[in-house]
Amino acid sequence: MHRATGARLLADAERAAPGVAVDISAGLGPLRMGAACSVVWTAYEDRRIGFAYGTLTGHPERGEESFMVHLEPDGTVRFTVTAFSRPAVWYTRVGGPVVPLLQRAYARRLGTILRRLVRT
């Protein structure tokens, strides 16, 4: 789903697992901004699947984010993004209240993309 947003995703492994390093970057050319993370936990279960990663040095934020897909007994599919963070570099500190709005918009975009990917 990250790749479908236009982000570049580099990972140490094909599948999320604790300790796998992940670098997600967005933007063009010299304006591309990277976000280094490490997977901290995964869930590969019958009715839910997902993972969480924590930020590494150089990430613009300091925190963790999880992405979970749940299959409810009635067949409803729910996608949940949970994040907590604080600024780690000057430009996210300057961004103040705008940064959480951008994070929320990106999470909504991921949900829209995931919905589209599942339908195709």
Side-chain angles (χ1 to χ4, degrees):
M1 69 187 162
H2 287 294
R3 285 186 182 106
T5 68
R8 184 181 302 156
L9 177 70
L10 302 172
D12 286 352
E14 290 292 317
R15 187 173 178 168
V20 170
V22 179
D23 187 75
I24 301 169
S25 62
L28 298 171
L31 299 178
R32 181 167 287 282
M33 180 174 58
C37 303
S38 180
V39 176
V40 292
W41 59 260
T42 58
Y44 294 107
E45 302 167 5
D46 288 342
R47 301 189 82 67
R48 71 180 196 136
I49 189 167
F51 67 95
Y53 52 61
T55 61
L56 297 175
T57 301
H59 193 290
E61 294 284 312
R62 196 171 295 134
E64 291 186 12
E65 191 166 24
S66 69
F67 306 89
M68 292 296 301
V69 177
H70 302 264
L71 177 60
E72 303 293 342
D74 67 359
T76 302
V77 177
R78 300 202 188 279
F79 175 59
T80 306
V81 177
T82 304
F84 60 90
S85 63
R86 62 183 178 169
V89 294
W90 70 268
Y91 53 87
T92 52
R93 281 190 287 278
V94 169
V98 174
V99 174
L101 294 175
L102 294 172
Q103 289 171 323
R104 198 169 297 120
Y106 185 68
R108 283 194 183 102
R109 174 97 173 109
L110 290 174
T112 299
I113 285 172
L114 189 58
R115 189 177 303 116
R116 187 186 76 220
L117 291 171
V118 169
R119 286 183 182 149
T120 58

